[in-house]
Amino acid sequence: MKTAALLCAAAFSFFTSIAGAQETYPSQPITIVVPFSAGGPTDTVTRLIAEPMGRELGQQIVISNVAGAGGTLASGQVAKAKPDGYTLLMHHIGMSTAPTLYRNLDFDPQVDFATLGLVTNVPMTLIARKDFEPSTLQELVTFVKANKDSVVYANAGIGAASHLCGMLFMNAIDTALTTVPYKGTGPAMTDILSGDVDLMCDQSTNTTGQIKGGEVKVYAVTTPERLGNLPDVPTTTEAGLPGFQVGVWHGLYAPKGTDPAIVAKVSKALQTALKDPKVIERFAELGTTPVAEDQATPEAHKAYLAEQIALWKPIIEKAGVFAD
Ligand code: ASP
């Protein structure tokens, strides 16, 4: 009897402290883990929304870049983090390609995370170092086929969007190139600018400034329509590679087991951040837009993740690209 009473008291205090934690959440800074290097497009998107999200939540949001293995290193770490709402993950389309690309993934995107909401869908741009010989996409295809042993393509590792886009490009022109993996396309861009590597396909959030400044060559945008902020850049369809299209969606995650009240609070803060005029303005300058409010929800994000995993599985299997 006495033991039962003690157990009841312990359970009561456990549940009241959990309830208290939800009510007072967040009572300390929140970390959003970015699975690529600082200065790249995923980092840029995360930093842009972190400030208004933090304002809404009344806490500082700290960004931690945990780069490696095409984003799977960080995902694996966050999957195993304490589900208390203080460690979150911003990832992109790589979350949906990793289960097919990686044979030994130590997490399941659909099981080990609570989805918090979609963030944005970013166009990709096929770019090259400024003095790379070809000037149009058609010239690029001819040049690359003729020089396939010397052209070097930069990406952010297997599972990165730049890897996926490169894979689709190489498939479209039936030519494999030497690739150099970086920990993010931030550092890869540095090497494109210095001329150390030739080609890259990356989000407009990382390339628009350099394209506008004439610091890199651009061949096409991988979207059905031209971009308002880069009106002179043709689409891949207009430039002659109609099957080659991809957009990079981003989503915010918490480890599975995170309390639904915390999930709802963070998701609401994300929705508010995506309506912030400064976020909308800066996203537009970088060639993208925030998702609609009904997409920045745990449910819409969960459904989209499942859809995207199913979409990419056969494409990756056909390309036969796998990693351990
Ligand atoms: N854009 C990169 C990618 O290839 C990642 C990054 O640096 O954000 O996925």
Side-chain angles (χ1 to χ4, degrees):
M1 184 66 191
K2 201 171 166 197
T3 320
L6 280 175
L7 279 176
C8 276
F12 179 76
S13 94
F14 175 74
F15 286 119
T16 47
S17 77
I18 295 243
Q22 294 147 18
E23 273 157 31
T24 53
Y25 175 86
S27 58
Q28 64 186 65
I30 298 166
T31 298
I32 299 185
V33 176
V34 168
F36 298 101
S37 307
T42 314
D43 183 71
T44 298
V45 163
T46 312
R47 285 176 200 272
L48 283 172
I49 62 156
E51 202 266 321
M53 270 187 78
R55 211 184 312 128
E56 175 71 12
L57 289 165
Q59 268 297 340
Q60 196 200 350
I61 296 190
V62 177
I63 310 297
S64 166
N65 298 85
V66 179
T72 59
L73 183 70
S75 307
Q77 282 184 12
V78 176
K80 289 168 206 68
K82 205 168 164 197
D84 57 6
Y86 292 105
T87 308
L88 308 176
L89 173 75
M90 173 73 85
H91 205 345
H92 63 25
I93 191 170
M95 196 62 132
S96 57
T97 55
T100 314
L101 283 169
Y102 282 83
R103 291 196 187 93
N104 298 314
L105 211 56
D106 62 348
F107 62 91
D108 181 334
Q110 290 176 283
V111 174
D112 294 322
F113 293 96
T115 49
L116 301 174
L118 295 167
V119 178
T120 179
N121 195 355
V122 186
M124 299 210 79
T125 49
L126 186 60
I127 60 158
R129 61 180 160 82
K130 193 178 164 183
D131 53 355
F132 200 43
E133 291 85 333
S135 290
T136 64
L137 187 59
Q138 284 306 323
E139 283 176 29
L140 176 72
V141 173
T142 309
F143 184 89
V144 159
K145 280 174 172 281
N147 298 279
K148 62 175 186 298
D149 295 331
S150 57
V151 174
V152 177
Y153 178 87
N155 69 24
I158 294 187
S162 47
H163 164 258
L164 181 66
C165 191
M167 185 182 89
L168 297 175
F169 174 62
M170 291 176 214
N171 273 1
I173 65 167
D174 201 18
T175 306
L177 299 177
T178 303
T179 58
V180 178
Y182 290 78
K183 288 196 165 175
T185 46
M189 176 59 93
T190 307
D191 279 7
I192 289 264
L193 293 174
S194 62
D196 289 339
V197 284
D198 302 312
L199 263 184
M200 177 163 78
C201 181
D202 197 24
Q203 287 106 297
S204 63
T205 34
N206 195 38
T207 60
T208 302
Q210 291 82 349
I211 293 170
K212 280 182 180 285
E215 294 165 81
V216 296
K217 257 188 187 169
V218 60
Y219 298 106
V221 291
T222 63
T223 41
E225 309 282 336
R226 287 189 185 211
L227 305 183
N229 65 336
L230 294 172
D232 299 333
V233 181
T235 66
T236 40
T237 301
E238 289 171 331
L241 282 180
F244 170 40
Q245 281 184 357
V246 60
V248 181
W249 60 274
H250 292 69
L252 193 62
Y253 302 80
K256 81 159 180 234
T258 303
D259 191 278
I262 293 178
V263 166
K265 226 176 205 178
V266 179
S267 180
K268 169 86 187 2
L270 172 65
Q271 290 160 15
T272 304
L274 294 179
K275 281 185 271 180
D276 185 287
K278 279 203 205 119
V279 170
I280 296 172
E281 189 187 330
R282 190 68 191 125
F283 271 26
E285 284 165 5
L286 297 173
T288 188
T289 44
V291 297
E293 183 170 327
D294 64 356
Q295 297 302 296
T297 63
E299 301 74 26
H301 183 181
K302 190 176 177 180
Y304 195 65
L305 175 64
E307 233 175 72
Q308 286 282 302
I309 289 174
L311 174 81
W312 289 107
K313 191 173 191 300
I315 300 171
I316 294 163
E317 282 171 347
K318 190 162 167 239
V321 183
F322 302 107
D324 288 322

Coordinates of all heavy atoms in Angstrom, one line a residue, residues 70 72 91-102 105 109 158-161 163-164 167 249 305 308-309 312-313 316 321:
G70 N 26.6 13.9 -46.6 CA 25.4 14.4 -47.4 C 24.2 14.7 -46.5 O 23.1 14.7 -46.9
T72 N 23.4 13.2 -43.6 CA 22.9 12.1 -42.8 C 23.6 12.0 -41.4 O 23.0 11.5 -40.5 CB 23.1 10.7 -43.5 OG1 24.5 10.5 -43.8 CG2 22.3 10.6 -44.8
H91 N 16.3 20.3 -42.6 CA 16.9 19.5 -43.7 C 16.1 19.8 -44.9 O 15.1 20.5 -44.9 CB 16.9 18.0 -43.3 CG 17.9 17.2 -44.1 ND1 18.6 17.7 -45.2 CD2 18.4 16.0 -43.9 CE1 19.5 16.8 -45.6 NE2 19.4 15.7 -44.8
H92 N 16.6 19.2 -46.0 CA 16.0 19.5 -47.3 C 15.6 18.2 -48.0 O 15.4 17.1 -47.3 CB 16.8 20.4 -48.2 CG 18.2 19.9 -48.6 ND1 18.5 18.5 -48.7 CD2 19.3 20.5 -48.9 CE1 19.7 18.3 -49.1 NE2 20.3 19.5 -49.2
I93 N 15.4 18.2 -49.3 CA 15.0 17.0 -50.1 C 15.9 15.8 -49.7 O 15.4 14.7 -49.9 CB 15.1 17.4 -51.6 CG1 14.5 16.4 -52.5 CG2 16.6 17.7 -52.0 CD1 14.4 16.9 -53.9
G94 N 17.1 16.0 -49.2 CA 18.0 14.9 -48.9 C 17.3 14.0 -47.9 O 17.7 12.8 -47.8
M95 N 16.4 14.4 -47.1 CA 15.7 13.6 -46.1 C 14.9 12.5 -46.8 O 14.7 11.4 -46.3 CB 14.8 14.4 -45.2 CG 14.3 13.8 -44.0 SD 15.7 13.4 -42.9 CE 15.2 14.0 -41.3
S96 N 14.4 12.8 -48.0 CA 13.6 11.9 -48.8 C 14.4 11.0 -49.7 O 13.9 9.9 -50.2 CB 12.5 12.6 -49.6 OG 13.1 13.5 -50.4
T97 N 15.7 11.4 -50.0 CA 16.5 10.6 -50.9 C 17.4 9.6 -50.1 O 17.7 8.6 -50.6 CB 17.3 11.4 -51.9 OG1 18.1 12.4 -51.1 CG2 16.5 12.2 -52.8
A98 N 17.7 10.0 -48.9 CA 18.7 9.2 -48.1 C 18.3 7.8 -47.9 O 19.1 6.9 -48.0 CB 18.9 9.9 -46.7
P99 N 17.0 7.5 -47.6 CA 16.6 6.1 -47.3 C 16.9 5.2 -48.5 O 17.1 4.0 -48.3 CB 15.1 6.2 -47.1 CG 14.8 7.6 -46.7 CD 15.8 8.4 -47.4
T100 N 16.9 5.7 -49.7 CA 17.2 4.9 -50.9 C 18.7 4.9 -51.2 O 19.3 3.9 -51.6 CB 16.4 5.3 -52.2 OG1 15.0 5.5 -51.8 CG2 16.5 4.3 -53.2
L101 N 19.3 6.1 -51.0 CA 20.7 6.2 -51.4 C 21.6 5.5 -50.4 O 22.7 5.0 -50.8 CB 21.1 7.7 -51.4 CG 20.7 8.6 -52.5 CD1 20.9 10.1 -52.2 CD2 21.4 8.2 -53.8
Y102 N 21.3 5.5 -49.1 CA 22.2 5.0 -48.1 C 21.7 3.6 -47.7 O 20.6 3.4 -47.2 CB 22.2 5.9 -46.9 CG 23.2 7.1 -47.1 CD1 22.7 8.2 -47.8 CD2 24.5 7.0 -46.7 CE1 23.5 9.3 -48.0 CE2 25.3 8.1 -46.9 CZ 24.8 9.2 -47.6 OH 25.7 10.3 -47.8
L105 N 21.6 3.4 -43.3 CA 21.2 4.6 -42.6 C 20.9 4.2 -41.1 O 20.2 3.2 -40.9 CB 20.0 5.1 -43.3 CG 19.7 6.6 -43.3 CD1 20.9 7.3 -43.9 CD2 18.5 6.9 -44.1
P109 N 13.7 8.3 -41.6 CA 13.1 9.7 -41.6 C 11.6 9.7 -41.2 O 11.2 10.6 -40.6 CB 13.2 10.1 -43.0 CG 14.4 9.3 -43.6 CD 14.4 8.0 -42.9
I158 N 27.0 12.5 -51.1 CA 25.8 11.8 -51.5 C 24.6 12.0 -50.6 O 24.7 11.9 -49.4 CB 26.1 10.2 -51.6 CG1 27.2 10.0 -52.6 CG2 24.9 9.4 -51.8 CD1 27.5 8.5 -52.9
G159 N 23.5 12.4 -51.2 CA 22.3 12.8 -50.4 C 22.1 14.3 -50.4 O 21.0 14.7 -50.1
A160 N 23.1 15.0 -50.8 CA 22.9 16.5 -50.9 C 22.1 16.8 -52.2 O 22.1 16.0 -53.1 CB 24.3 17.2 -51.0
A161 N 21.5 18.0 -52.2 CA 20.7 18.4 -53.3 C 21.6 18.5 -54.5 O 21.2 18.2 -55.7 CB 19.9 19.7 -53.0
H163 N 24.2 16.9 -55.2 CA 24.5 15.5 -55.6 C 23.3 15.0 -56.5 O 23.5 14.5 -57.6 CB 24.7 14.6 -54.5 CG 24.6 13.1 -54.9 ND1 23.5 12.4 -54.6 CD2 25.5 12.3 -55.5 CE1 23.7 11.1 -55.1 NE2 24.9 11.1 -55.7
L164 N 22.1 15.2 -56.0 CA 20.9 14.8 -56.7 C 20.8 15.5 -58.1 O 20.6 14.8 -59.1 CB 19.7 15.1 -55.9 CG 18.3 14.6 -56.4 CD1 18.2 13.1 -56.5 CD2 17.2 15.2 -55.5
M167 N 23.4 14.2 -60.4 CA 23.0 12.9 -60.9 C 22.0 13.0 -62.0 O 22.1 12.3 -63.0 CB 22.5 12.1 -59.7 CG 22.2 10.7 -59.9 SD 21.4 9.9 -58.4 CE 19.7 10.3 -58.6
W249 N 13.0 21.2 -51.5 CA 12.1 21.6 -50.4 C 12.9 21.4 -49.1 O 13.7 20.5 -49.0 CB 10.8 20.7 -50.5 CG 11.0 19.2 -50.3 CD1 11.3 18.4 -51.4 CD2 11.0 18.5 -49.1 NE1 11.4 17.1 -50.9 CE2 11.3 17.1 -49.5 CE3 10.8 18.8 -47.8 CZ2 11.3 16.1 -48.6 CZ3 10.8 17.7 -46.9 CH2 11.1 16.4 -47.3
L305 N 6.7 14.3 -47.0 CA 7.9 13.5 -46.9 C 7.7 12.1 -47.4 O 8.5 11.5 -48.2 CB 8.3 13.4 -45.4 CG 9.5 12.5 -45.0 CD1 10.8 13.0 -45.6 CD2 9.7 12.4 -43.5
Q308 N 7.5 12.2 -51.2 CA 8.9 12.4 -51.8 C 9.7 11.2 -51.7 O 10.5 10.9 -52.7 CB 9.5 13.6 -51.1 CG 9.0 14.9 -51.5 CD 9.4 15.4 -52.9 OE1 10.6 15.5 -53.1 NE2 8.5 15.6 -53.8
I309 N 9.6 10.4 -50.6 CA 10.4 9.2 -50.5 C 10.0 8.2 -51.6 O 10.8 7.6 -52.3 CB 10.3 8.5 -49.1 CG1 11.0 9.4 -48.1 CG2 10.8 7.1 -49.1 CD1 10.8 9.0 -46.6
W312 N 11.3 9.5 -55.2 CA 12.7 9.4 -55.5 C 13.2 8.0 -55.6 O 14.2 7.7 -56.2 CB 13.5 10.3 -54.6 CG 13.3 11.8 -54.9 CD1 12.6 12.7 -54.1 CD2 13.7 12.5 -56.0 NE1 12.6 13.9 -54.7 CE2 13.3 13.8 -55.9 CE3 14.5 12.1 -57.2 CZ2 13.5 14.8 -56.9 CZ3 14.7 13.1 -58.1 CH2 14.2 14.4 -58.0
K313 N 12.6 7.1 -54.9 CA 13.1 5.7 -54.8 C 13.4 5.1 -56.2 O 14.5 4.7 -56.4 CB 12.1 4.9 -54.0 CG 12.6 3.5 -53.6 CD 11.6 2.9 -52.6 CE 12.1 1.6 -52.0 NZ 12.5 0.5 -52.8
I316 N 16.3 6.9 -58.1 CA 17.6 6.6 -57.5 C 18.0 5.2 -57.9 O 19.1 4.9 -58.3 CB 17.7 6.9 -56.0 CG1 17.5 8.4 -55.7 CG2 19.0 6.4 -55.4 CD1 17.1 8.7 -54.3
V321 N 22.8 4.7 -57.9 CA 23.8 5.3 -57.0 C 23.5 5.0 -55.6 O 22.4 5.3 -55.1 CB 23.8 6.9 -57.2 CG1 24.8 7.6 -56.4 CG2 23.9 7.3 -58.7

